[in-house]
Amino acid sequence: MDRTVIAYVIYLVVSIALTIWVARTLSRNGRVFLADVLHGDEKLADAVNHLLVVGFYLVNLGFVALYLSGDDTVEDARGVFEALSTKLGVVLLVLGVMHLGNVYVLNRIRRRGLLEREQVPPVRPQGRVAPAPGA
């Protein structure tokens, strides 16, 4: 088998495994965060979590597939490692950026929700006070 094909197979196996691992980790640990962002609505948190995981898979696996092709022919074992390190490094960076982007957006939503909760008085107003004369 051609060394380039071997590099492609290793790249696909490792990239897909990393994508699945990251998606499962984010899904499992992000559920609690989403429940907080969505004011304790567990069903909605599960639905949003599932949609985020599906989007994560689509974007990352699409990138892995597009980034599969290479211009260089791998001629020796060193070339296999060089090609894999470049491709896997870029995939890991994309996974990290996707993760940070998700956390940033969800944190913004969470902050907005916290601000809205703070604007609601804890007790309904019980009366009005007339303004002081001369004020």
Coordinates of all heavy atoms in Angstrom, one line a residue, residues 5-82:
V5 N -1.5 6.8 1.2 CA -2.8 6.2 1.6 C -2.7 5.8 3.1 O -3.7 6.0 3.8 CB -3.1 4.9 0.7 CG1 -4.4 4.2 1.2 CG2 -3.3 5.4 -0.7
I6 N -1.6 5.3 3.5 CA -1.5 4.9 5.0 C -1.6 6.2 5.8 O -2.3 6.2 6.8 CB -0.1 4.2 5.2 CG1 -0.1 2.9 4.5 CG2 0.2 4.1 6.7 CD1 1.3 2.2 4.6
A7 N -1.0 7.3 5.4 CA -1.1 8.5 6.1 C -2.6 9.0 6.1 O -3.0 9.5 7.2 CB -0.2 9.6 5.5
Y8 N -3.3 8.9 5.0 CA -4.7 9.3 5.0 C -5.5 8.4 5.9 O -6.4 9.0 6.6 CB -5.2 9.1 3.6 CG -4.8 10.2 2.6 CD1 -5.0 10.0 1.2 CD2 -4.2 11.4 3.0 CE1 -4.6 10.9 0.3 CE2 -3.8 12.3 2.0 CZ -4.0 12.1 0.7 OH -3.6 13.0 -0.2
V9 N -5.3 7.1 6.0 CA -6.1 6.3 6.8 C -5.8 6.6 8.3 O -6.8 6.7 9.1 CB -5.8 4.8 6.5 CG1 -6.4 3.9 7.6 CG2 -6.3 4.4 5.1
I10 N -4.6 6.8 8.7 CA -4.2 7.1 10.0 C -4.9 8.5 10.4 O -5.4 8.7 11.5 CB -2.7 7.1 10.3 CG1 -2.2 5.7 10.1 CG2 -2.4 7.7 11.6 CD1 -0.6 5.7 10.1
Y11 N -4.8 9.4 9.5 CA -5.3 10.8 9.7 C -6.8 10.7 9.9 O -7.4 11.3 10.9 CB -5.0 11.7 8.5 CG -5.9 12.9 8.4 CD1 -5.7 14.0 9.3 CD2 -6.9 13.0 7.5 CE1 -6.4 15.1 9.2 CE2 -7.7 14.2 7.4 CZ -7.4 15.2 8.3 OH -8.2 16.3 8.2
L12 N -7.5 9.9 9.1 CA -9.0 9.8 9.3 C -9.4 9.1 10.6 O -10.3 9.6 11.3 CB -9.6 9.0 8.1 CG -9.7 9.8 6.8 CD1 -10.2 8.9 5.7 CD2 -10.7 11.0 7.0
V13 N -8.7 8.0 10.9 CA -9.0 7.3 12.1 C -8.8 8.2 13.4 O -9.6 8.3 14.2 CB -8.2 6.0 12.2 CG1 -8.3 5.4 13.6 CG2 -8.6 5.0 11.2
V14 N -7.6 8.9 13.4 CA -7.3 9.7 14.6 C -8.2 10.9 14.6 O -8.8 11.3 15.7 CB -5.8 10.1 14.6 CG1 -5.5 11.1 15.7 CG2 -5.0 8.9 14.7
S15 N -8.5 11.6 13.5 CA -9.3 12.8 13.5 C -10.7 12.4 13.9 O -11.4 13.2 14.7 CB -9.3 13.4 12.1 OG -8.0 13.8 11.8
I16 N -11.3 11.4 13.4 CA -12.7 11.0 13.7 C -12.8 10.6 15.2 O -13.7 11.0 15.9 CB -13.2 9.9 12.8 CG1 -13.3 10.4 11.4 CG2 -14.5 9.3 13.3 CD1 -13.6 9.4 10.3
A17 N -11.8 9.9 15.7 CA -11.8 9.5 17.1 C -11.7 10.7 18.0 O -12.4 10.8 19.0 CB -10.6 8.5 17.4
L18 N -10.8 11.7 17.6 CA -10.7 12.9 18.4 C -12.0 13.7 18.4 O -12.4 14.2 19.4 CB -9.6 13.8 17.9 CG -8.2 13.4 18.3 CD1 -7.1 14.2 17.5 CD2 -8.0 13.6 19.8
T19 N -12.6 13.8 17.2 CA -13.9 14.5 17.1 C -15.0 13.9 18.0 O -15.7 14.6 18.7 CB -14.3 14.6 15.6 OG1 -13.3 15.2 14.9 CG2 -15.6 15.3 15.5
I20 N -15.1 12.6 17.9 CA -16.1 11.9 18.8 C -15.8 12.1 20.2 O -16.7 12.4 21.0 CB -16.1 10.4 18.4 CG1 -16.7 10.2 17.0 CG2 -16.9 9.6 19.4 CD1 -16.6 8.8 16.4
W21 N -14.5 11.9 20.6 CA -14.2 12.1 22.0 C -14.5 13.5 22.5 O -15.1 13.7 23.6 CB -12.7 11.8 22.3 CG -12.3 12.1 23.7 CD1 -12.5 11.4 24.8 CD2 -11.4 13.2 24.1 NE1 -11.9 11.9 25.9 CE2 -11.3 13.1 25.5 CE3 -10.8 14.2 23.4 CZ2 -10.5 14.0 26.2 CZ3 -10.1 15.1 24.2 CH2 -9.9 15.0 25.5
V22 N -14.1 14.5 21.7 CA -14.4 15.9 22.1 C -15.9 16.2 22.2 O -16.4 16.8 23.1 CB -13.7 16.9 21.2 CG1 -14.1 18.4 21.5 CG2 -12.2 16.8 21.3
A23 N -16.6 15.7 21.2 CA -18.1 15.9 21.2 C -18.8 15.3 22.4 O -19.6 15.9 23.0 CB -18.7 15.4 19.9
R24 N -18.4 14.1 22.7 CA -19.0 13.4 23.9 C -18.6 14.1 25.2 O -19.4 14.3 26.1 CB -18.5 11.9 24.0 CG -19.2 11.1 22.9 CD -18.8 9.6 23.1 NE -19.6 8.8 22.2 CZ -19.4 7.5 22.0 NH1 -18.5 6.9 22.8 NH2 -20.1 6.9 21.2
T25 N -17.4 14.5 25.3 CA -16.9 15.3 26.5 C -17.7 16.6 26.6 O -18.2 16.9 27.7 CB -15.4 15.5 26.4 OG1 -14.7 14.3 26.3 CG2 -15.0 16.3 27.7
L26 N -17.8 17.3 25.5 CA -18.6 18.6 25.6 C -20.0 18.4 25.9 O -20.6 19.1 26.6 CB -18.4 19.3 24.3 CG -17.0 19.8 23.9 CD1 -17.0 20.4 22.5 CD2 -16.5 20.8 25.0
S27 N -20.6 17.3 25.3 CA -22.0 17.0 25.5 C -22.3 16.7 27.0 O -23.2 17.2 27.6 CB -22.4 15.9 24.6 OG -23.8 15.5 24.9
R28 N -21.4 15.8 27.5 CA -21.6 15.3 28.9 C -21.5 16.5 29.9 O -22.3 16.6 30.8 CB -20.7 14.2 29.2 CG -20.8 13.5 30.5 CD -20.0 12.3 30.7 NE -18.6 12.5 30.3 CZ -18.0 12.0 29.2 NH1 -18.7 11.1 28.5 NH2 -16.8 12.2 28.9
N29 N -20.4 17.2 29.7 CA -20.1 18.3 30.7 C -20.8 19.6 30.4 O -21.0 20.4 31.3 CB -18.6 18.5 30.7 CG -17.9 17.3 31.2 OD1 -18.3 16.7 32.2 ND2 -16.7 17.0 30.6
G30 N -21.3 19.8 29.2 CA -22.0 21.0 28.8 C -23.4 21.0 29.2 O -24.1 22.1 29.2
R31 N -24.0 19.8 29.5 CA -25.4 19.7 29.8 C -25.7 20.5 31.0 O -26.7 21.2 31.1 CB -25.8 18.3 30.0 CG -27.2 18.0 30.2 CD -27.5 16.6 30.4 NE -28.9 16.4 30.7 CZ -29.5 16.7 31.8 NH1 -28.8 17.3 32.8 NH2 -30.8 16.5 32.0
V32 N -24.9 20.5 32.1 CA -25.1 21.2 33.3 C -25.1 22.7 33.0 O -25.9 23.5 33.5 CB -24.1 20.8 34.4 CG1 -24.2 21.7 35.6 CG2 -24.2 19.3 34.7
F33 N -24.1 23.1 32.2 CA -24.0 24.5 31.9 C -25.2 25.0 31.1 O -25.8 26.1 31.4 CB -22.7 24.7 31.1 CG -22.4 26.1 30.7 CD1 -21.9 27.0 31.7 CD2 -22.6 26.6 29.4 CE1 -21.6 28.3 31.3 CE2 -22.3 27.9 29.1 CZ -21.8 28.8 30.1
L34 N -25.7 24.2 30.2 CA -26.9 24.6 29.4 C -28.1 24.7 30.3 O -28.9 25.5 30.1 CB -27.1 23.6 28.2 CG -26.2 23.8 27.0 CD1 -26.4 22.6 26.1 CD2 -26.5 25.1 26.3
A35 N -28.2 23.8 31.2 CA -29.4 23.8 32.1 C -29.4 25.1 32.9 O -30.4 25.7 33.1 CB -29.4 22.6 33.0
D36 N -28.2 25.6 33.3 CA -28.1 26.9 34.0 C -28.5 28.0 33.1 O -29.2 28.9 33.5 CB -26.7 27.0 34.6 CG -26.6 28.3 35.4 OD1 -27.5 28.6 36.2 OD2 -25.6 29.1 35.2
V37 N -27.9 28.0 31.9 CA -28.2 29.0 30.9 C -29.7 29.1 30.6 O -30.2 30.2 30.4 CB -27.4 28.8 29.6 CG1 -27.9 29.7 28.5 CG2 -25.9 29.0 29.8
L38 N -30.3 28.0 30.5 CA -31.8 27.9 30.2 C -32.7 27.9 31.4 O -33.8 27.4 31.3 CB -32.0 26.7 29.2 CG -31.2 26.8 27.9 CD1 -31.3 25.5 27.2 CD2 -31.6 27.9 27.1
H39 N -32.2 28.4 32.5 CA -33.0 28.6 33.7 C -33.6 27.2 34.3 O -34.7 27.2 34.7 CB -34.1 29.6 33.5 CG -33.7 30.8 32.9 ND1 -32.8 31.7 33.5 CD2 -33.9 31.4 31.7 CE1 -32.6 32.8 32.7 NE2 -33.2 32.6 31.6
G40 N -32.8 26.2 34.2 CA -33.2 24.9 34.7 C -34.1 24.0 33.9 O -34.6 23.0 34.4
D41 N -34.4 24.4 32.7 CA -35.3 23.7 31.8 C -34.5 22.5 31.2 O -33.8 22.6 30.2 CB -35.8 24.6 30.7 CG -36.9 23.9 29.9 OD1 -37.1 22.7 29.9 OD2 -37.6 24.6 29.1
E42 N -34.6 21.3 31.9 CA -33.8 20.2 31.5 C -34.1 19.7 30.1 O -33.2 19.3 29.4 CB -34.0 19.0 32.5 CG -33.6 19.4 33.9 CD -32.1 19.4 34.1 OE1 -31.4 18.7 33.4 OE2 -31.7 20.2 35.0
K43 N -35.4 19.6 29.7 CA -35.7 19.1 28.4 C -35.2 20.0 27.3 O -34.6 19.5 26.3 CB -37.2 19.0 28.2 CG -37.8 17.9 29.1 CD -39.3 17.8 28.9 CE -39.6 16.9 27.7 NZ -41.0 16.7 27.5
L44 N -35.3 21.3 27.5 CA -34.7 22.3 26.5 C -33.2 22.2 26.5 O -32.6 22.2 25.4 CB -35.2 23.7 26.8 CG -34.7 24.8 25.8 CD1 -35.2 24.4 24.4 CD2 -35.2 26.1 26.3
A45 N -32.6 22.0 27.7 CA -31.1 21.9 27.7 C -30.7 20.6 27.0 O -29.7 20.7 26.2 CB -30.7 21.8 29.2
D46 N -31.4 19.5 27.1 CA -31.0 18.3 26.4 C -31.2 18.5 24.9 O -30.3 18.1 24.1 CB -31.9 17.1 26.9 CG -31.5 16.6 28.2 OD1 -30.3 16.9 28.7 OD2 -32.3 16.0 28.9
A47 N -32.2 19.2 24.5 CA -32.5 19.4 23.0 C -31.4 20.3 22.4 O -30.8 20.0 21.4 CB -33.9 20.0 22.8
V48 N -31.1 21.4 23.1 CA -30.0 22.3 22.6 C -28.7 21.6 22.6 O -27.9 21.7 21.7 CB -30.0 23.6 23.5 CG1 -28.8 24.4 23.2 CG2 -31.3 24.4 23.3
N49 N -28.4 20.8 23.6 CA -27.2 20.1 23.7 C -27.0 19.1 22.5 O -26.0 19.0 21.9 CB -27.1 19.3 25.0 CG -25.7 18.8 25.4 OD1 -24.7 19.3 24.8 ND2 -25.7 17.9 26.3
H50 N -28.1 18.4 22.2 CA -28.1 17.5 21.1 C -27.9 18.2 19.8 O -27.1 17.8 18.9 CB -29.4 16.7 21.0 CG -29.4 15.6 20.0 ND1 -28.6 14.5 20.0 CD2 -30.1 15.6 18.8 CE1 -28.8 13.8 19.0 NE2 -29.7 14.4 18.2
L51 N -28.5 19.4 19.6 CA -28.4 20.1 18.4 C -26.9 20.7 18.3 O -26.4 20.7 17.2 CB -29.3 21.3 18.3 CG -30.8 20.9 18.2 CD1 -31.7 22.1 18.3 CD2 -31.0 20.3 16.8
L52 N -26.4 21.1 19.4 CA -25.0 21.6 19.3 C -24.0 20.5 19.0 O -23.0 20.7 18.2 CB -24.6 22.2 20.7 CG -25.1 23.6 21.0 CD1 -24.9 23.9 22.4 CD2 -24.6 24.6 20.1
V53 N -24.2 19.3 19.5 CA -23.4 18.1 19.2 C -23.5 17.8 17.7 O -22.5 17.5 17.0 CB -23.7 16.9 20.1 CG1 -23.0 15.6 19.6 CG2 -23.3 17.2 21.5
V54 N -24.7 17.8 17.2 CA -24.9 17.5 15.7 C -24.1 18.5 14.9 O -23.4 18.2 13.9 CB -26.4 17.4 15.4 CG1 -26.6 17.3 13.9 CG2 -27.0 16.2 16.0
G55 N -24.3 19.8 15.2 CA -23.6 20.8 14.5 C -22.1 20.7 14.6 O -21.4 20.9 13.6
F56 N -21.6 20.3 15.8 CA -20.2 20.1 16.0 C -19.7 19.0 15.1 O -18.6 19.1 14.5 CB -20.0 19.8 17.5 CG -18.6 19.7 17.9 CD1 -17.8 20.8 18.2 CD2 -17.9 18.4 18.0 CE1 -16.5 20.7 18.6 CE2 -16.6 18.3 18.4 CZ -15.9 19.5 18.7
Y57 N -20.4 17.9 15.1 CA -20.0 16.8 14.2 C -20.0 17.2 12.7 O -19.0 16.9 12.0 CB -20.9 15.6 14.4 CG -20.7 14.7 15.5 CD1 -21.7 14.3 16.4 CD2 -19.4 14.2 15.8 CE1 -21.4 13.5 17.5 CE2 -19.1 13.3 16.8 CZ -20.2 13.0 17.7 OH -19.9 12.2 18.7
L58 N -21.0 17.9 12.3 CA -21.1 18.2 10.9 C -19.9 19.2 10.5 O -19.3 18.9 9.5 CB -22.4 18.9 10.6 CG -23.6 18.0 10.6 CD1 -24.9 18.8 10.5 CD2 -23.5 17.0 9.5
V59 N -19.7 20.2 11.3 CA -18.6 21.1 11.0 C -17.2 20.5 11.0 O -16.4 20.6 10.1 CB -18.6 22.4 11.9 CG1 -17.4 23.2 11.7 CG2 -19.9 23.2 11.6
N60 N -16.9 19.7 12.1 CA -15.6 19.1 12.2 C -15.4 18.0 11.3 O -14.3 17.9 10.7 CB -15.4 18.7 13.7 CG -15.2 19.9 14.6 OD1 -14.2 20.6 14.4 ND2 -16.1 20.1 15.5
L61 N -16.3 17.1 11.1 CA -16.1 16.0 10.2 C -16.0 16.5 8.7 O -15.3 16.0 7.9 CB -17.2 14.9 10.3 CG -17.1 14.2 11.7 CD1 -18.3 13.2 11.8 CD2 -15.8 13.5 11.8
G62 N -16.8 17.6 8.4 CA -16.7 18.2 7.1 C -15.3 18.8 6.9 O -14.7 18.7 5.8
F63 N -14.8 19.5 7.9 CA -13.4 20.0 7.8 C -12.4 18.9 7.6 O -11.5 19.0 6.8 CB -13.1 20.9 9.0 CG -11.7 21.4 9.0 CD1 -11.4 22.4 8.2 CD2 -10.7 20.8 9.8 CE1 -10.1 22.9 8.1 CE2 -9.4 21.2 9.7 CZ -9.1 22.3 8.9
V64 N -12.5 17.8 8.4 CA -11.6 16.7 8.3 C -11.6 16.1 6.9 O -10.6 15.9 6.3 CB -11.9 15.6 9.4 CG1 -11.3 14.3 9.1 CG2 -11.6 16.1 10.8
A65 N -12.8 16.0 6.3 CA -12.9 15.5 5.0 C -12.3 16.4 3.9 O -11.6 16.0 3.0 CB -14.4 15.2 4.6
L66 N -12.6 17.7 4.1 CA -12.0 18.7 3.1 C -10.5 18.8 3.2 O -9.8 19.0 2.3 CB -12.6 20.0 3.3 CG -14.0 20.2 2.9 CD1 -14.6 21.6 3.3 CD2 -14.1 20.1 1.4
Y67 N -10.0 18.6 4.5 CA -8.6 18.7 4.7 C -7.8 17.4 4.4 O -6.6 17.4 4.6 CB -8.3 19.2 6.1 CG -7.0 19.9 6.4 CD1 -6.6 21.0 5.7 CD2 -6.1 19.3 7.3 CE1 -5.4 21.6 5.9 CE2 -4.8 19.9 7.5 CZ -4.5 21.0 6.8 OH -3.3 21.6 7.0
L68 N -8.5 16.4 4.0 CA -7.9 15.1 3.8 C -6.9 15.2 2.6 O -5.7 14.7 2.7 CB -8.9 14.1 3.5 CG -8.4 12.7 3.1 CD1 -7.7 12.0 4.3 CD2 -9.6 11.8 2.7
S69 N -7.2 15.8 1.5 CA -6.4 15.7 0.4 C -5.1 16.6 0.6 O -5.1 17.6 1.3 CB -7.1 16.3 -0.9 OG -7.4 17.6 -0.7
G70 N -4.0 16.1 0.0 CA -2.8 16.9 0.2 C -2.1 16.9 -1.2 O -2.3 16.1 -2.1
D71 N -1.2 17.9 -1.3 CA -0.5 18.0 -2.6 C 0.8 17.2 -2.6 O 1.2 16.8 -3.7 CB -0.1 19.5 -2.8 CG -1.3 20.4 -2.8 OD1 -2.4 19.9 -3.2 OD2 -1.2 21.6 -2.5
D72 N 1.3 16.9 -1.5 CA 2.6 16.1 -1.5 C 2.4 14.6 -1.4 O 1.4 14.1 -0.8 CB 3.4 16.6 -0.2 CG 3.7 18.1 -0.2 OD1 3.8 18.6 -1.3 OD2 3.8 18.6 0.8
T73 N 3.3 13.9 -2.1 CA 3.3 12.5 -2.0 C 4.2 12.1 -0.8 O 5.4 12.6 -0.8 CB 3.8 11.9 -3.3 OG1 2.9 12.3 -4.4 CG2 3.8 10.4 -3.2
V74 N 3.8 11.2 0.0 CA 4.6 10.8 1.2 C 5.5 9.7 0.7 O 5.0 8.7 0.1 CB 3.7 10.3 2.3 CG1 4.5 9.8 3.5 CG2 2.8 11.4 2.7
E75 N 6.8 9.9 0.9 CA 7.7 8.9 0.3 C 8.4 8.0 1.3 O 8.9 6.9 1.0 CB 8.8 9.7 -0.5 CG 8.2 10.4 -1.7 CD 9.3 11.1 -2.5 OE1 10.4 10.8 -2.4 OE2 8.9 11.9 -3.3
D76 N 8.4 8.4 2.6 CA 9.1 7.6 3.6 C 8.3 7.8 4.9 O 7.4 8.5 5.0 CB 10.6 8.0 3.8 CG 10.8 9.5 4.1 OD1 9.8 10.2 4.2 OD2 11.9 9.9 4.2
A77 N 8.8 7.0 6.0 CA 8.1 7.1 7.3 C 8.2 8.5 7.9 O 7.2 8.9 8.5 CB 8.8 6.1 8.2
R78 N 9.3 9.2 7.7 CA 9.3 10.6 8.2 C 8.3 11.4 7.5 O 7.6 12.2 8.2 CB 10.7 11.1 7.9 CG 10.9 12.5 8.3 CD 12.3 13.1 8.0 NE 12.3 14.5 8.3 CZ 13.4 15.2 8.0 NH1 14.4 14.7 7.4 NH2 13.3 16.5 8.4
G79 N 8.1 11.3 6.3 CA 7.0 12.0 5.6 C 5.6 11.7 6.1 O 4.8 12.6 6.2
V80 N 5.4 10.5 6.5 CA 4.1 10.1 7.1 C 3.9 10.9 8.4 O 2.8 11.5 8.6 CB 4.0 8.6 7.4 CG1 2.8 8.2 8.2 CG2 4.0 7.8 6.1
F81 N 4.9 10.9 9.2 CA 4.8 11.6 10.5 C 4.6 13.1 10.3 O 3.9 13.8 11.0 CB 5.9 11.3 11.4 CG 5.9 10.0 12.1 CD1 6.6 8.9 11.6 CD2 5.0 9.8 13.1 CE1 6.5 7.7 12.2 CE2 4.9 8.5 13.7 CZ 5.6 7.5 13.2
E82 N 5.4 13.7 9.4 CA 5.3 15.1 9.1 C 3.9 15.5 8.6 O 3.3 16.5 9.0 CB 6.3 15.6 8.1 CG 7.7 15.6 8.7 CD 8.8 15.8 7.7 OE1 8.5 16.0 6.5 OE2 10.0 16.0 8.1

